[in-house]
């Protein structure tokens, strides 16, 4: 297959463009969206590329319709994605819950900007972390990834599709305006260099009768595809293993929700990825995600030059969260600092994980500017 962009070589592109190209290479063939800064370039790229790979890109009337469309496309057998920013992400929350409940593999890109409301459309923020994890109502779990470079925006987009397909779940790629509009050198691999995961399909008609049954003991049911001849019932109501509504039976509800959460939590060591920098002998730990991690690396270098044993833990997966890893780190260091572009969101997860074993201090910043390395250094040095 010929792709509408060069593969097997590096290119100098924006983060939004990298996400679009990665989605195409991951097999995405349906995109629905509504223009919004700073995610519009993803839509523009998908509108250009999709017709060239026999895919579909469609502008919907709003973000509610956009996520509804990709849910439908996924049940029709397509890998599907939408992209938005804070205001549109808020509108998507009900249907994110529907995708969780119906175990629909989709990818949702949230390019964060300053908020709330219309806020700062062209400036970066990290204010959607809690919303990405817990924005929809009810007990649930999903997967949230966070890149800190344009290359990671590309790589984690492919990973987002793989995880969505493997675990039959929505995956949120939580990036920001800086990464989205930054241009960096990105290696675009050939298709044969990319490992792709495809959703588990029913082996026969009998399996297809149980679209929500844990038939293989891994918590992830095979997914029947609409149009393949199977009689499949899909609803956001509490349902049994056949998909039939069972809204007043506590046992059925608990069994369903615990399995949906369990397939994420029980596999978090397969899902979670992170990077460390100078952390082995660190006495001071900096924990960050996304764009702020770039300043964190430089801050660690400066602190080391000053004789302070600092190290960085960069979280590429925000949810599920490895509380045990944070507690183990807290037992080894004197203090943990959490710089983030909000007034404290990741901080609360880290503090819970530290479990009192080390002091955890927030380094907040809002207004659209990324932390400078010296702002982090000055807080550590005191």
């Amino acid at each position: 297959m010929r792709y509408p962009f060069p593969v097997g070589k590096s290119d100098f592109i924006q983060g939004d463009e990298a996400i679009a190209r990665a989605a195409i290479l991951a097999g995405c063939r349906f995109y629905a969206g509504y223009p919004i800064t700073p995610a519009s370039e993803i839509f523009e790229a998908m509108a250009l590329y999709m017709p060239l790979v026999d895919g579909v890109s469609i502008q919907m009337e709003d973000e509610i319709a956009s996520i509804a469309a990709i849910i439908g496309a996924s049940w029709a057998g397509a890998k599907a994605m939408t992209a938005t920013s804070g205001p549109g992400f808020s509108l998507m929350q009900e249907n994110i819950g529907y995708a969780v409940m119906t175990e629909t593999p989709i990818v949702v890109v949230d390019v964060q900007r300053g908020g709330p409301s219309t806020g700062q459309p062209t400036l970066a923020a990290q204010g959607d972390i809690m919303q990405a994890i817990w924005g929809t109502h009810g007990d649930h779990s999903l997967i949230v990834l966070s890149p800190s470079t344009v290359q990671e925006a590309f790589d984690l987009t492919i990973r987002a599709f793989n995880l969505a397909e493997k675990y039959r779940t929505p995956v949120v790629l939580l990036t920001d305006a800086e990464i989205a509009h930054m241009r960096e050198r990105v290696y675009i691999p050939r298709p044969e260099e990319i490992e792709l995961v495809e959703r588990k399909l029913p082996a026969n008609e009998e399996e297809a009768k149980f679209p929500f049954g844990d038939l293989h003991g891994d918590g992830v049911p095979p997914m029947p595809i609409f149009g393949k001849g199977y009689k499949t019932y899909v609803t956001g109501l509490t349902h049994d293993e056949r998909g039939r509504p069972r809204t007043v039976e506590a046992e059925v509800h608990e069994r369903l929700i615990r399995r949906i959460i369990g397939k994420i939590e029980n596999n978090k060591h397969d899902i979670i990825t992170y990077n460390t920098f100078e952390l082995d002998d660190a006495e001071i730990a900096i924990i960050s995600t996304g764009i702020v991690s770039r300043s964190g690396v430089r801050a660690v270098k400066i602190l080391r030059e000053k004789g302070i044993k600092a190290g960085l833990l960069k979280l590429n997966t925000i949810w599920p969260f490895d509380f045990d890893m944070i507690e183990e780190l807290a037992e080894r260091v004197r203090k943990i600092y959490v710089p983030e572009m909000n007034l404290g969101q990741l901080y609360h997860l880290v503090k819970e994980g530290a479990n009192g074993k080390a002091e955890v201090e927030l380094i907040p910043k809002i207004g659209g500017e990324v932390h400078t390395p010296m702002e982090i250094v000055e807080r550590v040095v005191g």
Side-chain angles (χ1 to χ4, degrees):
M1 178 179 184
R2 295 189 62 181
Y3 288 90
F5 44 79
V7 297
K9 59 178 67 176
S10 296
D11 205 351
F12 192 66
I13 55 175
Q14 282 187 336
D16 278 351
E17 172 77 15
I19 290 169
R21 293 190 190 186
I24 297 291
L25 285 166
C28 178
R29 291 299 179 267
F30 186 90
Y31 180 91
Y34 188 82
I36 185 170
T37 303
S40 294
E41 291 87 350
I42 298 174
F43 193 175
E44 292 169 4
M46 295 301 270
L48 174 64
Y49 293 147
M50 277 298 202
L52 302 176
V53 294
D54 294 326
V56 174
S57 178
I58 183 170
Q59 178 173 326
M60 304 301 290
E61 62 266 33
D62 55 30
E63 291 84 355
I64 299 172
S66 298
I67 189 169
I70 68 168
I71 290 170
S74 182
W75 275 97
K79 291 185 180 181
M81 181 177 84
T82 189
T84 189
S85 189
F89 193 53
S90 296
L91 291 173
M92 292 182 179
Q93 290 307 316
E94 182 181 2
N95 272 337
I96 287 177
Y98 181 81
V100 169
M101 191 66 151
T102 58
E103 299 179 74
T104 307
I106 55 171
V107 173
V108 178
V109 182
D110 176 16
V111 185
Q112 297 170 97
R113 70 192 211 187
S117 188
T118 312
Q120 297 175 292
T122 62
L123 298 180
Q126 293 182 314
D128 299 354
I129 291 175
M130 286 192 172
Q131 185 182 28
I133 302 170
W134 294 299
T136 198
H137 66 283
D139 294 301
H140 66 279
S141 191
L142 73 174
I143 297 172
V144 183
L145 309 180
S146 174
S148 63
T149 68
V150 179
Q151 182 70 62
E152 285 183 357
F154 180 93
D155 295 339
L156 289 182
T157 299
I158 293 175
R159 181 164 176 77
F161 277 97
N162 284 345
L163 291 172
E165 294 287 311
K166 185 173 184 178
Y167 294 108
R168 262 190 74 178
T169 186
V171 177
V172 177
L173 183 69
L174 196 60
T175 181
D176 62 75
E178 290 289 347
I179 299 296
H181 291 158
M182 180 185 298
R183 291 184 181 272
E184 291 185 312
R185 183 183 297 276
V186 177
Y187 178 68
I188 311 295
R190 296 180 180 88
E192 58 268 24
E193 298 176 75
I194 302 172
E195 182 179 346
L196 295 182
V197 175
E198 307 297 334
R199 67 192 63 173
K200 183 168 43 179
L201 302 175
N204 48 53
E205 188 169 347
E206 187 61 28
E207 280 198 359
K209 293 177 181 178
F210 299 91
F212 303 98
D214 186 8
L215 303 182
H216 301 286
D218 59 359
V220 184
M223 184 176 178
I225 302 302
F226 286 0
K228 297 293 185 181
Y230 299 126
K231 295 179 180 179
T232 302
Y233 193 95
V234 179
T235 176
L237 294 168
T238 293
H239 47 269
D240 63 16
E241 286 76 7
R242 290 178 178 267
R244 298 173 299 191
R246 292 288 187 271
T247 59
V248 296
E249 299 174 36
E251 181 183 334
V252 173
H253 183 81
E254 181 167 1
R255 186 168 68 241
L256 172 64
I257 299 306
R258 286 193 180 277
R259 181 180 59 73
I260 288 174
I261 293 174
K263 70 181 180 182
I264 305 298
E265 290 299 316
N266 296 338
N267 292 288
K268 64 183 181 180
H269 294 297
D270 174 55
I271 298 168
I272 293 172
T273 65
Y274 58 88
N275 298 105
T276 62
F277 179 69
E278 299 282 11
L279 201 59
D280 289 344
D281 66 340
E283 298 174 355
I284 298 293
I286 298 169
I287 299 179
S288 60
T289 191
I291 186 68
V292 181
S293 302
R294 301 166 74 109
S295 296
V297 170
R298 180 61 185 152
V300 166
K301 292 178 180 178
I302 296 171
L303 288 166
R304 289 271 173 173
E305 291 170 0
K306 293 178 176 291
I308 298 173
K309 292 183 177 180
L312 175 76
L313 173 62
K314 181 175 77 71
L315 302 177
N316 304 323
T317 309
I318 298 177
W319 195 263
F321 194 81
D322 196 338
F323 293 98
D324 293 337
M325 178 181 69
I326 300 301
E327 184 171 8
E328 291 171 7
L329 176 61
E331 291 172 346
R332 296 193 284 112
V333 300
R334 289 189 292 106
K335 192 170 183 178
I336 298 172
Y337 291 86
V338 185
E340 51 183 325
M341 295 179 68
N342 56 53
L343 295 180
Q345 296 190 24
L346 181 65
Y347 162 77
H348 294 290
L349 295 174
V350 173
K351 189 172 182 180
E352 181 180 347
N355 197 24
K357 304 293 174 60
E359 182 182 355
V360 181
E361 182 174 327
L362 171 67
I363 308 179
K365 189 172 185 180
I366 57 175
E369 294 183 357
V370 182
H371 298 67
T372 67
M374 286 309 300
E375 286 174 331
I376 298 173
V377 169
E378 287 166 4
R379 286 291 292 272
V380 174
V381 173

